[in-house]
């Protein structure tokens, strides 16, 4: 007869444990504990949440029940033991140890629990303070606009209590005689409250909108037109456009701009960047074997087009028993004769084949096991022809490529303000080079007969780079449509078999040295070479990104830049990156931000003229406020390192489907009919930026500034606000010293808000001056030298 089973059934264990904290102990046990208590009062012990390792037997379970241990609901079997989470004191842990019940892990101590409780109390108190304080609701914008499909109402507002989950903002307006309402969506990024907003189609444009908060705050604003009332293009007397009729790869694009220069040598030239790309080329490869531990990855020493594609490899079994492993080569053919056992079966492992290939055929190939596998599987006979897997026609060169810009201007000697437009940092963005080519064509072909074009070309130095990433772009056109990065493979051999070939490369718009992932900013990877946002092995590791640096360094006259991307219909500027704590790169001053917005208004109106496309207010502004953090992007390099006003287009705005009442995305490579329209409207926008640069070149009028209140005596704290005749940066001091360019700048009061105010609670002398984007200084003041700055004293009684 079998002995009695010692293991307790699962159902019994679970039912026993489930009742432990509900069971009452024996009366005698209670009385003994009470008697002991009467003899000596024990101090309260701390408690911890621990994981107990309990022998799976009735005695241990009975002891848990007897002691009344406070168990959680989590029970788990592990190696014949029960793992049970429990809240226990040190004395209870000592008692349990006597019965073989041990503490496997301490999950949370009482100190940690108290810390969390304190944190919660602090958070609750902060929320109470926010919600009990007098709330202010501020409109950031209340706009209407009409695009090619419908009319919309868009509202952004900010509440001083907006960071709390209990703050609900509701908008009210009148439409066709009826009251309409909408709840605003709270917009946050990386834990920071930005604002509330909504956008809805309307059948009648309301004159005003009121926002009411659940906490009692309210505010009303008039509704104005976003981007003004400009109508679609009316043909000029003679203005030529519509020069692109298909998607073009970089080879076609370079030929196109070179031909333009041949036609207009007096107005244009080609600028060839000094850092050649790695080339549209790869080593030839083959992976032989279907099982990971029995697979061999073979890579040619030569580039595929330089002989690697001609290499073949044959793994064959020796014809005799106990034959050794050997390798022979004949020209570009490699034959591996696999070793056999006494029965004549192949016995060579993948690792052995790798070693012999690296020893005997190293003039032709290198070999590795598959993705760092130990390679202990037996290799089967097989044959393979190595290939670089590249499918572009022979007309696409495999050699390192020169990235080219077309430079347009009557005076290309650096004497005129420069404008830079560059596109296709990301290979799959096929529309963006069309924007660049279309713009270059319009500037040159309209010069002779259109006075507006002539004034731009005569007074500016215009640089246009249609394709920053020719290798990746060729790969996108012919091999892998979704290619984002360049083609340079920085991966280790374990990540370099041909199965990874669509993931190699560096994101060129993450490879720059300002706000980079290497400095701890968010939005790129420095460790995962297969990531879509891989920043490369170091800042400016890639020739393509170094070319942009070279161009900016060689041409200090460049004052404006547009980085043309797709898709989504965004219009953005710096800062472009923030840390994990959402600390952004330094924000532009209030005056610089105002200039970004003013210029953007003109550029976006020009985009709208083509077919009514409206870049949404919610997608216009500093990059982290409307999109995400992009560590190491090129626009931040241009703004922070070179002082260039730098924008980012994301062409390809969503299209509103009036029938389905839904926005429809267009993608990186829309049907050309749509791609053509995007190229036309964003060429308008790029020319709009060139207009901005032209106005900059003509601006010799100094700004004027004023303050409210205007100094004098005050009975209480005074809050001072500034106004300027045009977007201008305010430099100021509060200690009586002369203000200089090193003095404090007037900053923004908050995300998506206007200029800050200065608060004085004691007698203060405020000295200041203003400077516009064209570096015109108010009152012809020479900072730090003469006394032509503004000065007001506030006497606080």
């Amino acid at each position: 007869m079998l002995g009695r089973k010692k293991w307790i059934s699962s159902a019994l264990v679970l039912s026993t444990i489930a009742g432990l904290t509900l069971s009452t102990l024996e009366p005698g046990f209670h009385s003994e504990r009470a008697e002991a208590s009467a003899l000596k009062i024990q101090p309260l012990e701390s408690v911890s949440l621990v994981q107990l390792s309990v022998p799976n037997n009735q005695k241990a379970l009975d002891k848990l029940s007897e002691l009344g241990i406070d168990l959680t609901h989590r029970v788990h079997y592990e190696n014949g033991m029960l793992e049970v989470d429990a809240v226990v004191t040190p004395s209870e842990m000592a008692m349990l140890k006597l019965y073989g019940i041990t503490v496997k892990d301490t999950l949370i101590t009482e100190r940690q629990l108290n810390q969390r409780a304190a944190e919660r109390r602090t958070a609750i108190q902060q929320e109470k303070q926010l919600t009990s304080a007098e709330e202010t609701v501020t409109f950031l914008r209340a706009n209407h606009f009409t695009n090619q499909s419908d009319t919309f109402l868009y509202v952004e507002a900010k509440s001083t209590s907006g960071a709390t989950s209990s703050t609900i903002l509701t908008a009210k307006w009148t439409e066709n005689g009826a009251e309409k309402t909408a709840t605003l969506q709270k917009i946050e990024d990386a834990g920071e409250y930005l604002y509330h907003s909504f956008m809805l189609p309307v059948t009648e444009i309301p004159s005003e909108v009121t926002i009411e908060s659940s906490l009692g705050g309210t505010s009303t604003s008039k509704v104005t037109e976003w981007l003004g009332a400009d109508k679609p293009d009316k043909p000029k007397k003679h203005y030529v456009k519509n020069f692109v009729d298909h998607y073009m790869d970089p080879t076609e694009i370079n030929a196109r701009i070179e031909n333009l220069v041949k036609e207009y040598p007096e107005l244009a030239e080609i600028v060839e960047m000094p850092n050649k790309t790695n080339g549209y080329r790869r080593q030839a490869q083959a992976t032989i074997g279907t099982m990971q531990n029995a697979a061999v990855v073979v890579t040619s020493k030569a580039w595929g087009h330089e002989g690697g594609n001609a290499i073949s490899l044959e793994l064959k079994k020796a014809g005799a028993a106990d034959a050794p492993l050997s390798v022979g080569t004949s020209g570009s053919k490699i034959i591996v004769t696999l070793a056999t056992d006494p029965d004549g079966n192949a016995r060579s492992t993948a690792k052995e084949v790798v070693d012999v290939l690296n020893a005997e055929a190293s003039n032709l190939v290198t070999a590795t096991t598959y993705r760092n596998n130990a390679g202990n599987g037996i290799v089967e006979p097989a044959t393979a022809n190595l290939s670089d897997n590249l499918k572009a026609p022979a007309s696409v060169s495999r050699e390192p490529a020169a990235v080219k810009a077309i430079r347009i201007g009557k005076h290309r000697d650096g004497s005129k303000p420069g404008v830079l437009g560059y596109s296709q940092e990301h290979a799959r963005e096929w529309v963006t080079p069309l924007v660049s080519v279309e713009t270059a064509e319009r500037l040159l072909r309209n010069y002779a007969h259109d006075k507006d074009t002539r004034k731009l070309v005569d007074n500016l130095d215009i640089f246009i780079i249609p394709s920053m990433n020719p290798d990746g772009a060729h790969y996108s056109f012919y091999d892998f449509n979704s290619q984002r990065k360049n083609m340079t493979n920085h991966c280790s051999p374990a990540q370099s078999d041909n199965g990874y070939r669509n993931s190699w490369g560096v994101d060129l718009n993450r490879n720059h040295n300002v706000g980079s992932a290497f400095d701890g900013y968010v939005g790129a990877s420095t460790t995962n070479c297969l990531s879509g946002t891989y920043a490369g092995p170091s800042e400016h590791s890639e020739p393509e990104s170094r070319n942009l640096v070279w161009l900016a360094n060689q041409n200090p006259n460049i004052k404006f830049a547009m980085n043309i991307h797709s898709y989504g219909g965004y219009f953005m500027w710096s800062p472009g990156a923030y840390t994990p704590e959402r600390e952004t790169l330094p924000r532009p001053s209030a005056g610089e931000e105002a200039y970004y917005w003013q210029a953007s208004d003109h550029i976006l109106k020009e985009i709208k003229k083509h077919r009514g496309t409206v870049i949404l207010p919610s997608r216009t502004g500093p990059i982290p406020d409307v999109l995400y953090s992009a560590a190491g992007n090129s626009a931040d390099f241009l703004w922070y390192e070179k002082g260039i006003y730098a924008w980012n287009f994301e062409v390809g705005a969503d299209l509103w489907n009036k029938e389905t009442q839904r926005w429809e995305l267009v993608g990186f490579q829309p049907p050309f009919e749509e791609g053509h329209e995007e190229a036309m409207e964003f060429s308008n926008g790029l020319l709009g930026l060139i207009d901005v640069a032209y106005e900059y070149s003509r601006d010799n009028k100094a700004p004027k500034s004023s303050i409210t209140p205007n100094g004098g005596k005050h009975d209480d704290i005074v809050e001072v606000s500034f106004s300027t005749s045009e977007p201008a940066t305010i430099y100021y001091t509060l200690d009586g010293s002369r203000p200089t360019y090193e003095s404090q700048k007037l900053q923004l009061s908050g995300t998506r808000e206007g200029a800050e105010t200065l608060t004085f609670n004691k007698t203060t002398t405020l000295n200041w001056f203003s400077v516009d984007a064209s570096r015109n200084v108010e009152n012809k003041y020479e900072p730090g030298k003469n006394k032509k700055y503004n000065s007001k004293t506030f006497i606080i009684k």
Side-chain angles (χ1 to χ4, degrees):
M1 182 176 178
L2 295 174
R4 183 176 179 272
K5 229 178 183 182
K6 292 186 178 180
W7 299 106
I8 312 300
S9 73
S10 299
L12 176 60
V13 169
L14 292 173
S15 62
T16 301
I17 291 176
L20 289 179
T21 56
L22 300 177
S23 64
T24 56
L25 302 178
E26 300 287 328
F29 183 87
H30 274 294
S31 61
E32 290 172 7
R33 176 174 285 186
E35 184 178 343
S37 305
L39 295 175
K40 185 177 180 180
I41 297 175
Q42 298 291 334
L44 289 173
E45 292 185 274
S46 64
V47 296
S48 300
L49 177 61
V50 302
Q51 188 175 85
L52 298 175
S53 183
V54 184
N56 190 6
N57 59 60
Q58 191 63 49
K59 185 177 180 180
L61 293 174
D62 288 344
K63 182 51 61 175
L64 284 174
S65 178
E66 178 185 346
L67 296 177
I69 299 300
D70 184 0
L71 301 176
T72 72
H73 296 287
R74 182 183 177 278
V75 181
H76 177 67
Y77 282 101
E78 185 73 28
N79 297 326
M81 302 286 282
L82 287 171
E83 290 182 356
V84 183
D85 294 352
V87 179
V88 293
T89 65
S91 60
E92 286 173 331
M93 284 188 272
M95 180 68 72
L96 291 171
K97 191 173 182 180
L98 297 175
Y99 297 91
I101 302 172
T102 58
V103 175
K104 183 178 181 180
D105 193 15
T106 299
L107 305 176
I108 304 174
T109 66
E110 185 172 37
R111 181 179 179 183
Q112 290 171 314
L113 289 169
N114 290 336
Q115 286 175 341
R116 294 176 188 180
E119 289 168 359
R120 176 181 176 276
R121 288 192 297 271
T122 300
I124 291 173
Q125 185 60 35
Q126 289 174 343
E127 183 156 334
K128 283 182 178 178
Q129 291 172 354
L130 281 171
T131 55
S132 63
E134 184 175 346
E135 182 194 26
T136 301
V137 176
T138 304
F139 272 90
L140 299 179
R141 51 189 48 82
N143 299 132
H144 69 87
F145 64 86
T146 300
N147 65 11
Q148 61 266 49
S149 301
D150 217 336
T151 297
F152 295 84
L153 174 65
Y154 176 78
V155 170
E156 276 183 23
K158 205 166 190 175
S159 165
T160 52
S161 303
T164 68
S165 59
S166 57
T167 303
I168 308 298
L169 301 186
T170 303
K172 296 183 178 180
W173 69 94
T174 300
E175 188 177 332
N176 296 317
E179 184 178 84
K180 299 283 187 176
T181 64
T183 301
L184 280 70
Q185 173 72 47
K186 182 164 71 171
I187 307 299
E188 293 181 310
D189 184 64
E192 179 181 331
Y193 167 62
L194 301 181
Y195 53 87
H196 283 71
S197 72
F198 79 91
M199 183 173 69
L200 290 171
V202 293
T203 56
E204 181 187 54
I205 299 169
S207 60
E208 63 180 28
V209 175
T210 296
I211 292 180
E212 296 178 354
S213 169
S214 58
L215 301 179
T218 184
S219 184
T220 299
S221 173
K222 292 187 178 298
V223 177
T224 59
E225 185 168 8
W226 171 247
L227 304 183
D230 286 353
K231 304 302 179 186
D233 276 344
K234 291 181 179 179
K236 300 180 180 180
K237 186 175 181 180
H238 186 62
Y239 185 84
V240 191
K241 56 184 179 179
N242 195 24
F243 295 102
V244 294
D245 58 4
H246 69 286
Y247 288 124
M248 292 182 283
D249 72 21
T251 298
E252 295 176 271
I253 286 167
N254 281 343
R256 186 75 169 261
I257 61 174
E258 287 165 353
N259 286 334
L260 273 174
V261 168
K262 290 177 182 177
E263 271 193 81
Y264 299 95
E266 74 284 0
L267 297 176
E269 63 186 87
I270 294 295
V271 177
E272 190 169 298
M273 311 290 172
N275 303 291
K276 290 193 174 183
T277 70
N278 187 53
Y280 174 76
R281 58 183 182 176
R282 283 189 173 151
Q283 277 86 15
Q285 290 187 304
T287 300
I288 302 177
T290 57
M291 301 296 291
Q292 291 189 14
N293 68 342
V296 176
V297 178
V298 184
T299 304
S300 66
K301 288 289 185 70
W303 297 108
H305 68 288
E306 292 179 342
N309 290 335
I311 297 173
S312 65
L313 175 63
E314 179 182 4
L315 306 180
K316 68 177 185 177
K317 187 178 68 171
D322 287 325
L325 175 64
S326 63
V327 173
T329 61
S330 176
S332 58
K333 185 175 183 179
I334 305 171
I335 300 174
V336 177
T337 303
L338 303 172
T340 55
D341 62 18
D343 296 324
N345 300 313
R347 64 175 179 82
S348 296
T349 66
K351 180 64 168 61
E352 290 170 337
V353 171
V354 164
D355 290 344
V356 76
L357 280 170
N358 288 331
E360 303 297 332
S362 60
N363 61 317
L364 292 175
V365 298
T366 58
T368 63
T369 56
Y370 183 77
R371 300 185 181 180
N372 263 355
N373 194 277
N376 53 14
I378 302 300
V379 173
E380 297 293 330
T383 60
N385 294 316
L386 276 63
S387 172
D388 61 11
N389 295 294
L390 297 178
K391 301 179 178 65
S395 58
V396 173
S397 171
R398 270 59 173 172
E399 299 308 311
V403 177
K404 298 180 180 182
I406 182 170
R407 184 177 187 178
I408 298 172
K410 185 68 174 177
H411 307 281
R412 302 184 302 280
D413 54 6
S415 62
K416 301 293 183 181
V419 188
L420 168 63
Y422 59 107
S423 50
Q424 209 170 37
E425 280 186 320
H426 292 151
R428 62 194 176 194
E429 298 169 3
W430 291 5
V431 177
T432 63
L434 304 186
V435 175
S436 293
V437 169
E438 174 72 20
T439 303
E441 294 268 5
R442 290 188 193 182
L443 287 169
L444 294 172
R445 298 194 184 283
N446 287 293
Y447 178 83
H449 46 74
D450 180 68
K451 64 177 184 179
D452 291 332
T453 299
R454 192 157 52 249
K455 73 181 182 184
L456 300 178
V457 175
D458 284 350
N459 292 285
L460 296 171
D461 196 358
I462 303 164
F463 300 82
I464 297 175
I465 311 173
S467 184
M468 291 290 295
N469 182 9
D471 298 345
H474 281 126
Y475 196 74
S476 176
F477 272 94
Y478 299 106
D479 301 283
F480 177 57
N481 290 145
S482 295
Q483 178 76 6
R484 172 184 171 96
K485 304 181 286 182
N486 69 4
M487 286 181 64
T488 306
N489 178 18
H490 291 288
C491 291
S492 68
Q495 294 173 304
S496 292
D497 62 85
N498 53 6
Y500 280 132
R501 64 183 180 273
N502 290 341
S503 298
W504 297 329
V506 173
D507 184 340
L508 301 178
N509 203 32
R510 300 294 186 274
N511 189 234
H512 287 273
N513 66 334
V514 176
S516 76
F518 298 95
D519 294 329
Y521 285 82
V522 172
S525 174
T526 59
T527 57
N528 182 5
C529 64
L530 303 176
S531 166
T533 55
Y534 176 52
S538 62
E539 296 169 345
H540 290 147
S541 62
E542 305 309 293
E544 296 92 341
S545 64
R546 294 198 301 274
N547 281 331
L548 186 69
V549 174
W550 176 84
L551 189 69
N553 288 339
Q554 290 293 115
N555 300 281
N557 62 320
I558 294 176
K559 303 300 180 185
F560 299 88
M562 183 68 71
N563 188 2
I564 308 165
H565 283 273
S566 75
Y567 63 98
Y570 288 86
F571 194 61
M572 305 171 290
W573 54 88
S574 294
Y578 51 70
T579 66
E581 293 75 33
R582 208 180 186 281
E583 181 180 342
T584 69
L585 288 164
R587 296 268 181 174
S589 70
E592 292 163 340
E593 183 85 349
Y595 187 73
Y596 269 119
W597 279 104
Q598 176 181 280
S600 300
D601 183 73
H602 174 74
I603 295 166
L604 297 186
K605 284 179 181 177
E606 293 301 306
I607 293 172
K608 184 182 177 184
K609 283 181 179 180
H610 176 68
R611 57 167 176 170
T613 291
V614 172
I615 303 304
L616 304 179
S618 61
R619 296 187 178 186
T620 302
I623 296 169
D625 300 347
V626 301
L627 192 56
Y628 47 56
S629 178
N633 71 83
S634 57
D636 277 346
F637 162 76
L638 294 174
W639 170 246
Y640 292 102
E641 289 281 313
K642 310 306 295 184
I644 296 170
Y645 278 93
W647 283 265
N648 293 263
F649 276 148
E650 290 279 351
V651 312
D654 297 349
L655 300 175
W656 177 254
N657 187 321
K658 194 169 184 177
E659 292 184 5
T660 62
Q661 295 285 289
R662 294 175 64 89
W663 291 99
E664 297 176 347
L665 58 82
V666 297
F668 294 111
Q669 300 146 19
F672 182 73
E673 180 180 1
E674 168 60 25
H676 173 269
E677 294 302 289
E678 294 172 17
M680 293 301 104
E681 61 196 1
F682 280 88
S683 178
N684 274 13
L686 187 51
L687 287 165
L689 172 64
I690 297 172
D691 287 339
V692 169
Y694 172 71
E695 292 301 324
Y696 165 95
S697 72
R698 297 175 63 247
D699 182 13
N700 56 16
K701 185 177 180 180
K704 295 180 180 180
S705 64
S706 61
I707 57 173
T708 304
N710 193 25
K713 297 180 179 180
H714 299 271
D715 295 328
D716 204 347
I717 293 173
V718 63
E719 193 168 315
V720 180
S721 61
F722 290 80
S723 63
T724 55
S725 58
E726 60 176 299
T729 295
I730 301 289
Y731 295 86
Y732 68 91
T733 63
L734 303 177
D735 60 0
S737 63
R738 295 180 185 182
T740 71
Y741 289 125
E742 303 302 316
S743 301
Q744 285 184 279
K745 296 180 185 179
L746 194 70
Q747 302 295 335
L748 299 173
S749 58
T751 302
R752 309 276 283 182
E753 297 183 29
E756 65 181 334
T757 56
L758 302 181
T759 302
F760 302 148
N761 56 13
K762 62 180 181 180
T763 297
T764 303
T765 296
L766 170 64
N767 296 331
W768 81 95
F769 67 98
S770 62
V771 183
D772 67 15
S774 298
R775 305 304 290 174
N776 296 308
V777 182
E778 185 175 10
N779 297 329
K780 296 185 178 179
Y781 172 55
E782 297 179 34
K785 296 181 180 179
N786 58 37
K787 294 186 177 181
K788 293 184 179 181
Y789 54 83
N790 302 295
S791 182
K792 293 291 179 181
T793 298
F794 294 83
I795 301 172
I796 312 298
K797 295 181 180 178

